Amino acid sequence: LDGAERERFLDIGCRSIEKLISSFDELQSEFLVETGSINTWRSLVRIDTELGEMLADLESRGAIGGFKLRSCEIPLLTCRSTLKRYLAAAAEAIGERLGEVPSIECTVAASDAPGEAVADPWISISIRPCSGPRGERIVPTAPDASGNVARDAALERLARALDGVHASAGRDGFHLRLPAHPPLDREKDLVHPLHMMIERSKLRCVPMHVVSVRMAGARAEAGSFDRLFESGLCSLRGAEEWVVARGWEQGSYDVIVAGASRERLGEAMESVRERFARRCGERGEELYPAIRWEIRYSREADAPGSAADCAMLETLA
């Protein structure tokens, strides 16, 4: 090749390499968002609904043969992907001990029942093999000491990532104890969920909004209203499009949404307000707090980022 043709060939090659690298970067970001590898963040969830979906997924993949779930409606601020990894690891450990694909019995208990004053409330998740037809539990096979140590160490690491405590329940089950009201962690509760949803918005070319929502006029001791309010926020969760993150102030939350229009957002927040009022009415409450919400940040799908946007996001995080 002469000089001109050689330069043109090198230019085409360089542009192709840049495009290839860009494609790899986009694929990696999409993979991280989809698998939850970057979501060391916490989100408000309803633990009974969440565990039911996780166990159903394990059953569909053949990791467990079936499951029983006993849990009341408990809102919990936790890392969804880490909780799922803990549940899967516990089911795998039980299966190895039994020597077969297990059926799982999962029970959730809470120490902060309505009307009880608990200094350090917690939620306990118990995972065991299901009882037999006569109520007896399946006897596990002789445990492998080295394998048990490695599995327990892995489960302990996952429990610590959840700010919880892992414990074995004899030879055939596990307990996970989680804080019912974990203290605010800026990285887990605000920064990481915000960055994850920004990535999702960019990758899928969809709009993103940040909504602040709180109860107005609630007494400090009105714990029952807190639970009703959080339960309504949990109903917002869709196909990973909505993240309910804890705000800076007590009883306030930031709802980060990627992929919904402002109209749909408004309808969803009004549904939270109506649900809260209805639940309070069903409980016989004549006076109850009002739900206030406002859109603090909004970016359309085709809008480029700006310095003002970045400054606004910094104040949110």
Side-chain angles (χ1 to χ4, degrees), residues 7 11 16 23 30 77 113 131 137 171 182 205 213 230 287:
E7 289 298 323
D11 181 61
S16 298
S23 298
E30 182 74 21
L77 195 75
S131 304
R137 294 199 177 274
R171 293 172 55 188
C205 298
V213 57
E230 291 178 348
L287 297 175

Side-chain angles (χ1 to χ4, degrees), residues 22-33:
S22 175
S23 298
F24 275 129
D25 289 341
E26 185 172 344
L27 283 171
Q28 184 182 37
S29 297
E30 182 74 21
F31 174 79
L32 290 173
V33 168

Side-chain angles (χ1 to χ4, degrees), residues 257-277:
V257 186
S261 64
R262 291 176 69 96
E263 291 75 16
R264 181 186 168 197
L265 184 62
E267 292 171 359
M269 300 312 300
E270 285 298 331
S271 72
V272 170
R273 181 180 291 167
E274 293 171 1
R275 177 191 175 104
F276 179 77

